[in-house]
Amino acid sequence: MPLGCHGLVWTGGTSEAQLQHALRHNQEAGFELLEIALLDPHGFDVRAAHRALATSHQHVSASLGLPAAADISSGDPGCLAAGEALLNRAVEIVHDLGGRYLVGVLYSQLRKYSAPATAEGRCQSQDVLRRVAARATQLGVTLALEVVNRYETNVFNTARGALAYLDELGDPSVKVHLDTYHMNIEETDLLTPVLECGDRLGYVHIGESHRGYLGTGSVDFDGFFTALSLIDYRGPITFESFSTAVVNQDLSRNLAIWRNLWFDSDDLAKHAHTFISGQLHARSQTGRY
Ligand code: MN
């Protein structure tokens, strides 16, 4: 299974120089996949990304949360059309860059809502994603919907909620994307949700409870990695961490990154790679991995 690292560990943007920097340091830290924060697909410079990738052996994936004007759960017709166009463009970019995964909050805006999602908004977001998923499947791209905490979406906040949403959507190619940071806030434990997803788990974010160094917070990584081994998970596992040391203005504000959890990206990422590899290695020696 490919081990990856989120681009915001390295840089706040996606210019050619920023991507080159991220790809080089990602490789040096031991990772083989760079997750690009694709927050503005229409403004993303695909040629520049190609030039950066030409000198790298890294794979890429992409993640995003929808902006307000493209919130497909909002019930607003203009937002629905803009969201579908944005998601389709994101799928094309991932395909163009040789990637296989578009993940994150693809179903709503990434923000604290002040009311529950409406039945109409939920249904309309599923209609859009059904069409986008059909296009993604044609291009060999898998969509995985990230389960995030209640302060970042109102559509679903648990693995069970995501599975119910995907049952209604009705396209088995669309997978669940679990993130240990969010699970630690919303789930009863970190093992059961993974078992409930089973082969419908398509993407994983590894984040600590404070989004800093792995092993220094309250996330039950032993339970989580045991669960991954029990379902024989073989998809990407991506380290995600944020600090005011590296800032993308929009994403950092949406995620409420107000303080420094680390200063040295290289040290943080190498530590994370060692931590995740160690968890997987131990289980490979004792169980299925
Ligand atoms: Mn995440």
Side-chain angles (χ1 to χ4, degrees):
M1 69 208 71
L3 296 191
C5 182
H6 193 280
L8 259 286
V9 168
W10 306 115
T11 172
T14 55
S15 72
E16 183 176 347
Q18 287 170 314
L19 285 174
Q20 266 177 346
H21 172 87
L23 289 163
R24 189 173 70 247
H25 286 263
N26 216 47
Q27 176 119 13
E28 286 170 7
F31 293 105
E32 52 195 311
L33 181 146
L34 179 71
E35 183 180 315
I36 297 173
L38 196 56
L39 300 172
D40 177 20
H42 296 302
F44 184 81
D45 188 342
V46 179
R47 287 184 184 177
H50 269 296
R51 287 194 297 273
L53 279 164
T55 54
S56 167
H57 299 293
Q58 292 276 299
H59 299 284
V60 293
S61 62
S63 59
L64 61 84
L66 294 173
D71 182 357
I72 60 174
S73 73
S74 65
D76 179 273
C79 292
L80 277 175
E84 185 160 352
L86 184 152
L87 288 166
N88 278 321
R89 181 67 193 130
V91 167
E92 286 170 10
I93 290 169
V94 171
H95 170 69
D96 273 2
L97 300 181
R100 291 178 48 209
Y101 293 91
L102 176 64
V103 304
V105 184
L106 309 178
Y107 50 88
S108 89
Q109 192 184 350
L110 187 68
R111 74 169 169 97
K112 182 179 183 300
Y113 286 82
S114 54
T118 64
E120 185 190 23
R122 178 184 176 94
C123 191
Q124 288 172 338
S125 70
Q126 291 162 339
D127 291 343
V128 169
L129 283 171
R130 204 177 292 116
R131 291 192 291 274
V132 174
R135 178 70 180 137
T137 298
Q138 287 175 341
L139 295 178
V141 175
T142 297
L143 305 183
L145 308 188
E146 184 169 13
V147 183
V148 299
N149 72 74
R150 65 190 72 186
Y151 307 111
E152 296 181 30
T153 188
N154 61 354
V155 177
F156 50 78
N157 305 117
T158 61
R160 196 171 284 191
L163 290 168
Y165 179 93
L166 287 175
D167 285 343
E168 293 161 19
L169 194 154
D171 181 340
S173 76
V174 185
K175 303 294 187 185
V176 179
H177 165 188
L178 289 180
D179 179 320
T180 56
Y181 162 79
H182 298 289
M183 293 172 76
N184 187 59
I185 294 171
E186 299 289 357
E187 305 280 7
T188 55
D189 64 88
L190 267 71
L191 194 137
T192 312
V194 175
L195 302 184
E196 288 181 345
C197 286
D199 63 5
R200 298 170 75 184
L201 181 62
Y203 202 88
V204 165
H205 273 168
I206 298 295
E208 188 49 277
S209 53
H210 45 44
R211 309 201 95 149
Y213 271 79
L214 299 181
T216 65
S218 60
V219 168
D220 173 23
F221 286 114
D222 290 340
F224 184 75
F225 280 99
T226 293
L228 290 185
S229 71
L230 287 171
I231 67 164
D232 201 23
Y233 177 75
R234 300 280 167 174
I237 297 177
T238 300
F239 172 58
E240 185 175 47
S241 182
F242 301 97
S243 171
T244 49
V246 177
V247 173
N248 171 288
Q249 189 161 300
D250 292 338
L251 189 59
S252 295
R253 287 181 177 181
N254 283 340
L255 300 179
I257 310 303
W258 312 133
R259 63 191 167 103
N260 263 309
L261 272 305
W262 42 266
F263 299 90
D264 183 339
S265 301
D266 291 295
D267 188 70
L268 172 88
K270 283 174 184 163
H271 175 269
H273 187 271
T274 301
F275 184 95
I276 295 168
S277 301
Q279 288 278 359
L280 297 171
H281 176 75
R283 282 160 187 82
S284 77
Q285 298 302 306
T286 54
R288 297 174 75 170
Y289 273 157

